[in-house]
Amino acid sequence: MNLKELASKLGLSPTTVSRALNGYPEVNEATRERVMAAAKRHNYRPNTRAIRLATGRAFAVGHVIPIATRHEIVNPVFADFIAGAGETYSRNDYDMLLSVVPDAQEEDTYRSLKSKGNVDGVIVHGPRLNDPRIALLHEIGLPFVVHGRATGTALPYSWLDVNNRRAFQRATEFLLDFGHSRIGLVNGLEFMDFAIRRRAGYTDALTARGITPNPAYMSSDEMTEISGYRAATKMLSLPVPPTAFLCASMISGMGARRAIQDKGLVMGRDISVIIHDDDLSYLKNGDDLPLFTATRSSVREAGRQTAEMLLDLIAEPTASPQQRLLEAELIMGQSTGPAPKD
């Protein structure tokens, strides 16, 4: 069925049907709902090329990944985010354009996406302290939503983030309540906003209990298994080692678990471990009983919501910026227990 045939069945002009299907504000809601219902009933699919020509939209969203962080593409956290965002794009007939570029070409890539009209907007990943991409995207007028926040940025912008500071504060308090006073932090790279906030939550919780944070019990690196292993091994080799670890991801937590085993210790008995982001599609935290105690947040759901925010912004470019702060849930697993007696 083509547009003309659908319009004939509805007794409307093809122009009205087209405008109803494409969200033009001059079509009243009752007519829009009637047209949408008929299109669904008759399995009508609009001609995407014609819509693009008529509206000037690309019906595509961009994700620009610098080569320095290309490991993110195979990171299950990134994969879950993209899967969630992809569900939103598909539901709204949008395509996704993923660009992996040299670091020095990141700015030029955003400018090119805008000038060529390849995308209607972008999602910004891995925000950093005073992130220059926010000012750039404001300058070139490309709609965007940030997955995370950028400390130090004064310009208004839309973002969706997990309350990283509160998540790590609660996790640290949980370990303190178990009697642990020597808690190691296996953090992500601390020029990244999420890692800055996680360290703040960790140190705030210690300070509130009268414990001076010990730099020897803190590490900052890529959130990989080998980095988690090396950080935990180094801390466990100290004359007075930690009795617990707070790890920035399940992957770094797996490295910490390997380091604990190498020392002949038992996770959950001799050393406690809490991880972040355990709700992953292809890297499950155990079956019925979670292996790790975790601060859980659904990255897939974050992808869905961030994509929805961007599509809303594309539809209403003059709307005020949106901000959504999601809270992580503390999940009990087998990796934590009371601090061992010295």
Side-chain angles (χ1 to χ4, degrees):
M1 175 177 289
N2 59 34
L3 179 66
K4 190 174 182 180
E5 290 169 338
L6 180 63
S8 177
K9 284 185 175 292
L10 288 164
L12 298 170
S13 71
T15 300
T16 299
V17 172
S18 176
R19 289 179 178 276
L21 290 169
N22 292 298
Y24 282 82
E26 57 265 34
V27 179
N28 68 58
E29 194 58 33
T31 300
R32 188 190 320 282
E33 289 179 1
R34 181 173 163 233
V35 170
M36 296 298 289
K40 185 176 182 180
R41 187 167 62 250
H42 295 290
N43 198 28
Y44 171 76
R45 301 286 293 180
N47 185 311
T48 305
R49 179 176 293 181
I51 293 172
R52 288 173 178 171
L53 288 171
T55 64
R57 289 186 186 175
F59 283 87
V61 169
H63 296 256
V64 178
I65 310 298
I67 286 177
T69 56
R70 65 185 180 275
H71 66 277
E72 289 294 338
I73 295 174
V74 294
N75 185 326
V77 174
F78 179 78
D80 257 34
F81 182 91
I82 288 295
E87 290 175 20
T88 298
Y89 301 149
S90 296
R91 192 167 60 249
N92 290 276
D93 290 326
Y94 264 75
D95 295 325
M96 177 172 60
L97 180 63
L98 182 63
S99 301
V100 181
V101 302
D103 293 45
Q105 294 180 18
E106 187 175 8
E107 178 178 333
D108 289 341
T109 300
Y110 283 117
R111 291 186 183 278
S112 176
L113 289 173
K114 172 62 177 178
S115 63
K116 292 179 180 178
N118 290 341
V119 300
D120 297 319
V122 293
I123 289 179
V124 177
H125 296 274
R128 306 180 288 270
L129 184 69
N130 300 311
D131 199 309
R133 293 173 293 180
I134 292 174
L136 168 67
L137 292 167
H138 268 285
E139 175 198 333
I140 64 179
L142 186 59
F144 69 97
V145 176
V146 179
H147 179 214
R149 284 174 284 175
T151 298
T153 299
L155 290 168
Y157 63 97
S158 294
W159 54 261
L160 179 144
D161 198 10
V162 173
N163 194 340
N164 286 289
R165 179 186 172 279
R166 179 59 184 147
F168 271 50
Q169 182 180 12
R170 286 185 62 203
T172 305
E173 290 170 346
F174 178 84
L175 292 169
L176 290 167
D177 290 342
F178 254 143
H180 296 277
S181 58
R182 304 193 305 272
I183 302 169
L185 175 66
V186 182
N187 204 6
L189 293 166
E190 291 181 357
F191 61 82
M192 307 294 283
D193 187 272
F194 74 87
I196 295 170
R197 294 178 188 275
R198 290 177 184 181
R199 177 188 280 257
Y202 162 81
T203 57
D204 286 352
L206 293 176
T207 303
R209 299 288 182 96
I211 299 171
T212 301
N214 184 347
Y217 293 159
M218 302 181 209
S219 72
S220 168
D221 206 340
E222 296 277 5
M223 294 185 295
T224 62
E225 196 275 348
I226 189 63
S227 294
Y229 172 78
R230 288 170 177 165
T233 297
K234 182 177 180 180
M235 292 185 210
L236 289 172
S237 299
L238 293 170
V240 183
T243 60
F245 289 112
L246 183 52
C247 298
S249 72
M250 183 186 294
I251 299 170
S252 54
M254 292 167 67
R257 179 179 65 172
R258 180 160 67 95
I260 291 166
Q261 292 172 339
D262 281 1
K263 291 290 184 180
L265 303 171
V266 177
M267 183 176 73
R269 186 192 69 189
D270 304 310
I271 305 287
S272 290
V273 176
I274 297 181
I275 64 165
H276 186 68
D277 279 340
D278 79 318
D279 190 14
L280 302 175
S281 299
Y282 296 98
L283 188 62
K284 291 296 184 183
N285 183 12
D287 293 320
D288 296 332
L289 180 62
L291 173 62
F292 289 102
T293 295
T295 51
R296 171 177 293 175
S297 65
S298 172
V299 182
R300 196 179 190 110
E301 180 59 26
R304 291 190 194 101
Q305 291 195 32
T306 305
E308 288 169 0
M309 290 170 64
L310 180 58
L311 296 188
D312 287 346
L313 187 59
I314 291 167
E316 295 288 343
T318 60
S320 299
Q322 297 183 45
Q323 289 94 32
R324 296 185 190 177
L325 185 61
L326 309 179
E327 295 293 339
E329 182 182 7
L330 186 62
I331 302 297
M332 285 293 298
Q334 304 171 60
S335 64
T336 49
K341 295 181 180 178
D342 292 328

